[in-house]
């Protein structure tokens, strides 16, 4: 099978924009000596045409030398213009087959297919680009063959479960809520970066008086946050537009996106942990979101997130219901850390607050301005409140087959770890924790989010409890394995 | 190795640390009837679907427990590993000393005149001595904190000075085990063992300061234990 012929012009356009920079530089170099505008334009067109022609030639060759095939056991891909690459990927190694389609691709009716395997930080194989219906056929075929493989290796215990059930489809109301509660703080760094470039000149022009800086700082901060919220909201709405989650046999399938449409699958047996996230706003409104973490690289989510969204936003009850249908963890009551942990947080925040006050004092003195630097001391009473809230939202729960942790105030995360997914269990005690007889227990799993430091942590609990918890979690793992659990239970 | 048949903890183990308190885990199965253990030298993988009849949390399933010979008691590292850590911190101290000395020399003299070598050297040496003292202290404390133990179901480690970390690595999660020897280790006659799992935070766990014989022995034990542990895949 070959790629779609329309992939050639699309790839040419794609690569041309990439080499556009090179073209511009070449043109600038070339036209520096010429006199008239006409000559410059002619040279520009000439170089551009040569560039595009070269790219087109390459892409045509690539198209002609790209073949893929679904054989009995493997997905075969032969590609490469100059250096050939022949790959045979066994079906049981393919974790996901994902389809993505942006606006232009949709106009042309083509889409990108990405094959993911467990482990590895990149997509294993990409088909750029095939027709949309063909992409869906491939998704279907691979999923069928995986199921057939599994059915052969098991003792025929799996029934043919080809029914597709829609588990969740986002409503416009929920999409609206998502827009309101989304706040991607990574955007703040972008905004503030831009501000730092433009800011000083604006300040110098309109507000030459340095005393006003104390007003400007907080205003800019608030403005940045508001702008970030709006921008994140828009991005989230575009991203999760028409989100649907279905269950088909041994896989979850999801689809989402307005401008760029993604469709992917989550094999049930690869589910590592579940996370239920609620930020401050969402908690107020009674909403939460559910993500499923799998082993290895999770595609289609951009550079930051490495887990797959099962429910972008829904009422809390609904989220827990769906979570329980994936992993039946029963009722949960969290055990909070001991109250002396609050003193730790209070001490930490106090240091930060004092540093802020000291900094404002130093700035005031050095810059010789009369400004109410002591107003920053208003931050101090916030410290115990902040410490209390941080403590209040921490907790863990040890069930018979699950370990569940909860952390975070601004963005609270409940992580559900099935006992049979536990990898290593770590107990950590810093020197400050030891002083207060506290310890943290980290439950490591193979899920990708652990790589960005988002493991399941039972933080700042009593150190004897921590020792017992550590041993208990390791025990639960052994018990779970002995009773033959290796995949989430089948639920009808 | 001939001592693989005798319980390892009795005579051939390296210096036992003074007992730091009762392990709150059930003792490894040395005390159980030997016939059951040595009978299944290679404990059969537990493919039975029937749950353990007693199913109490700590009840060991005697038929699948590993032979006592593979387990160890709590061990500490070889004392030579302190030299390795001290050497590392001295090198670091030298770098810091040079950096501090250069900075001080430049700062004290101001930007116009020639750098003040005297104060620079003084500062540099002081920084080096300080770093060296800290390094030696850290090495000693770190050595004292290190312990590892091969238990029934998992490898247990603890270590750390500023942040004390204790790790449990279940055998069923072990992907592979490497021994490695860096240049300083080779000079001191030491080796390290690295255990890899599929986890993300505890993905690889290193036991430094083993003699090459100990490292190979431990590697063999862990390989056997990992192979006979239950579970189809380590993920």
């Amino acid at each position: 099978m070959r790629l779609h012929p329309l992939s050639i012009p699309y790839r040419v356009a794609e690569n041309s924009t990439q080499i556009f920079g090179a073209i511009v530089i070449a043109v600038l170099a070339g036209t520096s000596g010429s006199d008239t505008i006409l000559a410059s334009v002619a040279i520009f067109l000439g170089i551009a045409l040569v560039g595009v022609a070269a790219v087109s030639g390459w892409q045509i060759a690539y198209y002609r030398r790209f073949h893929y095939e679904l054989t009995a056991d493997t997905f075969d891909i032969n590609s490469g213009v100059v250096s050939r690459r022949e790959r045979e990927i066994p079906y049981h190694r393919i974790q996901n087959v994902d389809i993505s389609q942006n606006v232009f691709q949709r106009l042309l009716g083509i889409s990108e297919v990405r094959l993911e395997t467990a482990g590895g930080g990149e997509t294993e194989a990409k088909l750029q680009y095939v027709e949309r219906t063909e992409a869906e056929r491939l998704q279907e075929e691979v999923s069928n063959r995986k199921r057939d493989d599994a059915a052969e290796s098991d003792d025929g215990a799996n029934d043919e479960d080809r029914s597709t059930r829609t588990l969740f489809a986002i409503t416009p109301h929920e999409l609206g809520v998502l827009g309101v509660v989304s706040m991607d703080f990574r955007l703040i760094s972008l905004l503030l970066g831009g501000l730092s470039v433009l800011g000083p000149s604006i300040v110098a022009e309109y507000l030459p008086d340095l005393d006003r800086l104390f007003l400007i700082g907080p205003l800019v901060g608030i403005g940045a946050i508001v702008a970030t919220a709006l921008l994140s909201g828009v991005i989230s709405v575009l991203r999760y537009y028409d989100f649907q989650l279905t269950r088909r046999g041994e896989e979850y399938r999801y689809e989402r996106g307005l401008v760029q449409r993604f469709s992917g699958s989550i094999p049930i047996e690869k589910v590592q942990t579940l996370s239920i996230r609620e930020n401050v706003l969402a908690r107020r409104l009674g909403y939460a979101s559910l993500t499923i973490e799998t082993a290895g690289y999770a595609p289609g989510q951009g550079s930051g997130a490495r887990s797959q969204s099962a429910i972008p936003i829904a009422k809390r009850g609904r989220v827990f219901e769906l979570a329980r249908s994936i992993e039946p963890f029963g009722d949960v009551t969290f055990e909070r850390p001991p109250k002396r942990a609050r003193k730790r947080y209070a001490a930490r925040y106090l240091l930060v607050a004092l540093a802020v006050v000291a900094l404002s004092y130093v700035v005031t003195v050095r810059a010789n301005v009369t400004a109410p630097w002591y107003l920053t001391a208003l931050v101090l009473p916030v410290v115990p409140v902040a410490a209390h809230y941080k403590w209040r939202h921490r907790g863990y729960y040890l069930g018979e087959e699950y370990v569940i942790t909860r952390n975070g105030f601004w963005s609270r995360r409940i992580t559900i770890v099935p006992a049979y997914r536990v990898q290593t269990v770590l107990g950590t005690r810093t020197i400050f924790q030891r002083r207060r007889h506290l310890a943290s227990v980290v439950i490591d799993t193979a899920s990708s989010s652990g790589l960005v430091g988002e493991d399941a942590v039972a933080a700042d609990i009593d150190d004897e409890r921590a020792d017992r918890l550590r041993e208990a979690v390791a025990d639960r793992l052994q018990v779970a394995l002995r009773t033959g659990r290796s995949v989430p239970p089948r639920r009808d | 190795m001939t001592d693989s048949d005798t319980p390892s903890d009795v005579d051939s183990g390296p210096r036992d640390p003074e007992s730091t308190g009762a392990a709150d885990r059930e003792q490894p199965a040395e005390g159980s009837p030997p016939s059951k253990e040595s009978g299944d030298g290679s404990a059969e993988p537990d493919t039975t679907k029937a749950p353990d009849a007693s199913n109490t949390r700590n009840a060991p399933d005697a038929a699948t427990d590993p032979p006592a010979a593979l387990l160890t008691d709590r061990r500490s590292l070889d004392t030579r590993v302190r030299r390795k850590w001290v050497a590392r911190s001295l090198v670091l101290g030298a770098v810091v000393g040079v950096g501090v000395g250069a900075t001080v020399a430049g700062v004290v003299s101001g930007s116009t005149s020639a750098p003040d070598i005297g104060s620079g050297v003084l500062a540099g040496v002081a920084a080096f001595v300080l770093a060296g003292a800290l390094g030696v202290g850290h090495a000693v404390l770190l050595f004292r904190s290190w312990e590892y133990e091969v238990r029934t179901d998992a490898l247990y480690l603890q270590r750390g000075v500023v942040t004390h970390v204790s790790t449990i690595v279940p055998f069923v999660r072990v992907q592979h085990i490497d021994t490695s020897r860096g240049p300083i280790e080779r000079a001191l006659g030491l080796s390290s063992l690295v255990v890899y799992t599929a986890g993300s935070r505890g993905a690889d766990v290193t036991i430094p300061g083993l003699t090459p014989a100990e490292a190979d022995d431990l590697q063999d034990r862990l390989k056997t234990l990992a192979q006979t542990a239950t579970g189809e895949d380590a993920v």
Side-chain angles (χ1 to χ4, degrees), chain A residues 143-190:
Chain A
S143 155
N144 287 348
R145 294 192 193 213
K146 274 172 59 169
R147 210 203 337 271
D148 292 345
D149 266 0
E152 277 165 21
S153 56
D154 276 2
D155 304 317
N158 289 328
D159 309 342
E160 289 281 312
D161 185 2
R162 293 185 185 245
S163 62
T164 307
R165 240 171 53 238
T166 303
L167 297 173
F168 179 80
I170 200 166
T171 63
H173 176 73
E174 283 162 342
L175 201 57
V177 173
L178 182 65
V180 166
V181 306
S182 298
M183 237 191 302
D184 191 352
F185 282 105
R186 290 168 298 178
L187 292 175
I188 279 199
S189 58
L190 275 175

Side-chain angles (χ1 to χ4, degrees), chain A residues 98-139:
Chain A
D98 292 342
I99 304 176
S100 83
Q101 221 185 9
N102 66 25
V103 180
F104 305 111
Q105 290 161 353
R106 235 180 301 174
L107 285 174
L108 295 170
I110 58 178
S111 59
E112 181 182 355
V113 176
R114 287 201 280 234
L115 300 179
E116 307 284 341
T117 57
E122 316 183 330
T123 306
E124 184 67 43
K126 289 192 222 190
L127 298 178
Q128 290 172 324
Y129 301 88
V130 294
E131 205 175 347
R132 174 78 199 206
T133 47
E134 166 72 3
E136 283 167 3
R137 181 190 81 90
L138 286 175
Q139 219 179 23

